[in-house]
Amino acid sequence: MTAPVAITGLGLLTPGGEHTDATWKAVCRGVGTAARDRALAGLPVDFSCRVPLTRDALDQRVGRTAWRMSRNAKLAVLAAREAVHDAGLDPATWNGDRVAVVVGCGLGADAVREEQGKRLDERGPDMVSALTIPQLVPNMAAAEVSIDLHAHGPSLAPATACASGATAIALARDLLASGQCDVAVAGATEAAITPLTTTAFWRAGTLSRRADAVTAASRPFAADRDGFVFGEGAGVLVLERTEDATARGAHVRARLVGCGSTSDAHHPTAPVPGTPGAEAALRTALTDAGLAPHDVDHVNAHGTSTPLNDAGEAAMIARVLPHRPSVTAPKGVLGHGCGAAGAVEAALTVLAIQHRTVPPIANLQAPAPEFDIDCVTGQPRQQDIRVAVSNSFGFGGHNVVLALATSS
């Protein structure tokens, strides 16, 4: 059993808003953010969930270094700045040698690849940007956060598909536990809504085709769910050892008390029947936290709105947690942020604990009849949450579950 760590800061940029409070209010409203996307015009799926910041607005917020960054790195830098500020820390005065950065991604800077490939084909080698590789490599979001924060400790960029954000948080916890850092800035980012990537997801059969009602397209656990809505965003948490946070008088939002990670070792995209890997990750997280299944009050579900994922996850939740804790699924509002989703949803789980409020699942009146889980629908539910779990599952069979608890 690893000692719990304190979560002292949150930073979010999502389709729900430009900062943490805006995102929280959006998920509590329970209205989908999907909209027509001009960049996808003419494709079989032409809608997405984007962060409501234009390129110029994003660059202005990032500042003088924005010219060299891809969009996913910019989102990560802004989320990290918000999280560090929220934690009451100052990169100008902290000991950067003792600060770690763990920022994952699933797809990386796909927009850069597509844009520069088009330049090469249409205009020749001399028109390919010299910044292509520094923007394209998947570690660069973590690197830019490290540079921006003057953080000289370990810098890691885990890529476990849609579990990347949760993996990053679990790795950050381990860095703190092993003494390799005193502060860990951890999360994930994704900004890969491009014509090619969207078409590839469509060809894989994972995207919703509900083009006549795009805001209602993402509907986790609904009987008529037909796929996810492609999204983007960034989520970053600041983690510290509990005794260090207490010593400096930090405001502890919640505690990360357990982590579980497994691999299905089954199929590149399909979950293994019966979801034994996901179940093992949940049970491992609870064991790591010294908790029993009946201690769980709330579940932030992976809830992608795809037929196979939702069916497997709902059955797993009902099997392991038969006392029916409340269940929410933010992808109904925010779409599927892919690599960023696990970090965004971990932050939202922290807020649910802190505000004693469970946001509703957008576009859901009641779960499919075969799902024996307590989905929160319609309005936010007031609930005293002592322990919650956040589930993240990714292509390749990656399963990560984070167990979170109140600050005391």
Side-chain angles (χ1 to χ4, degrees):
M1 198 168 81
T2 306
V5 297
I7 299 167
T8 56
L10 301 177
L12 291 172
L13 273 84
T14 74
E18 301 174 20
H19 48 74
T20 297
D21 287 346
T23 297
W24 175 247
K25 289 176 182 176
V27 296
C28 286
R29 281 194 299 271
V31 178
T33 59
R36 300 287 178 188
D37 190 328
R38 282 184 286 182
L40 307 179
L43 296 180
V45 175
D46 64 354
F47 53 94
S48 69
C49 291
R50 287 191 183 268
V51 172
L53 281 172
T54 64
R55 180 172 180 172
D56 288 346
L58 190 58
D59 288 354
Q60 185 175 15
R61 285 186 58 181
V62 172
R64 61 183 181 81
T65 57
W67 64 273
R68 71 181 188 218
M69 296 185 200
S70 61
R71 183 173 175 86
N72 67 325
K74 295 172 189 176
L75 294 177
V77 165
L78 292 179
R81 287 179 185 171
E82 183 188 12
V84 169
H85 178 76
D86 183 51
L89 295 167
D90 185 354
T93 59
W94 67 14
N95 179 3
D97 292 344
R98 299 295 299 165
V99 178
V101 170
V102 190
V103 177
C105 67
L107 293 159
D110 270 19
V112 174
R113 187 189 304 275
E114 289 191 36
E115 179 185 350
Q116 298 305 318
K118 186 176 181 180
R119 283 194 185 192
L120 177 62
D121 290 343
E122 296 180 354
R123 301 167 66 184
D126 288 343
M127 297 307 295
V128 173
S129 171
L131 290 172
T132 300
I133 296 301
Q135 290 185 348
L136 192 61
V137 289
N139 67 298
M140 198 50 65
E144 290 287 8
V145 170
S146 297
I147 293 166
D148 192 71
L149 299 180
H150 309 292
H152 299 282
S155 179
L156 304 173
T160 53
C162 303
S164 298
T167 298
I169 294 166
L171 286 173
R173 190 278 302 260
D174 293 345
L175 292 174
L176 286 164
S178 66
Q180 295 186 61
C181 64
D182 296 326
V183 174
V185 179
T189 184
E190 199 81 276
I193 304 172
T194 69
L196 177 59
T197 308
T198 303
T199 301
F201 274 130
W202 169 74
R203 288 284 292 153
T206 60
L207 293 185
S208 172
R209 304 186 186 191
R210 194 169 274 106
D212 57 337
V214 297
T215 58
S218 181
R219 44 183 60 209
F221 301 113
D224 60 347
R225 66 196 184 278
D226 72 331
F228 65 76
V229 177
F230 200 1
E232 64 175 7
V236 174
L237 291 74
V238 173
L239 309 179
E240 303 176 63
R241 285 182 289 273
T242 302
E243 58 270 27
D244 294 343
T246 301
R248 72 176 184 88
H251 173 60
V252 177
R253 285 181 174 268
R255 294 174 299 139
L256 176 62
V257 296
C259 305
S261 181
T262 66
S263 178
D264 287 346
H266 169 69
H267 188 273
T269 58
V272 62
T275 59
E279 178 175 338
L282 174 54
R283 292 190 185 278
T284 298
L286 294 177
T287 299
D288 187 37
L291 297 168
H294 63 75
D295 292 319
V296 176
D297 301 309
H298 171 58
V299 178
N300 187 303
H302 188 58
T304 58
S305 186
T306 56
L308 286 178
N309 176 87
D310 286 10
E313 185 175 16
M316 185 273 290
I317 293 170
R319 186 169 61 248
V320 181
L321 307 172
H323 59 289
R324 303 181 84 248
S326 62
V327 176
T328 195
K331 293 181 181 70
V333 172
L334 305 176
H336 194 348
C338 295
V344 169
E345 290 165 15
L348 292 173
T349 307
V350 169
L351 291 168
I353 292 171
Q354 190 173 12
H355 293 297
R356 299 180 178 181
T357 302
V358 179
I361 300 175
N363 307 314
L364 181 67
Q365 293 182 338
E370 65 271 23
F371 298 163
D372 186 19
I373 56 175
D374 181 17
C375 290
V376 176
T377 62
Q379 299 294 325
R381 179 187 297 177
Q382 300 304 304
Q383 181 185 353
D384 186 17
I385 303 170
R386 300 290 300 174
V387 174
V389 295
S390 183
N391 296 339
S392 296
F393 312 127
F395 277 2
H398 301 285
N399 307 298
V400 182
V401 177
L402 305 176
L404 301 122
T406 56
S407 58
S408 58

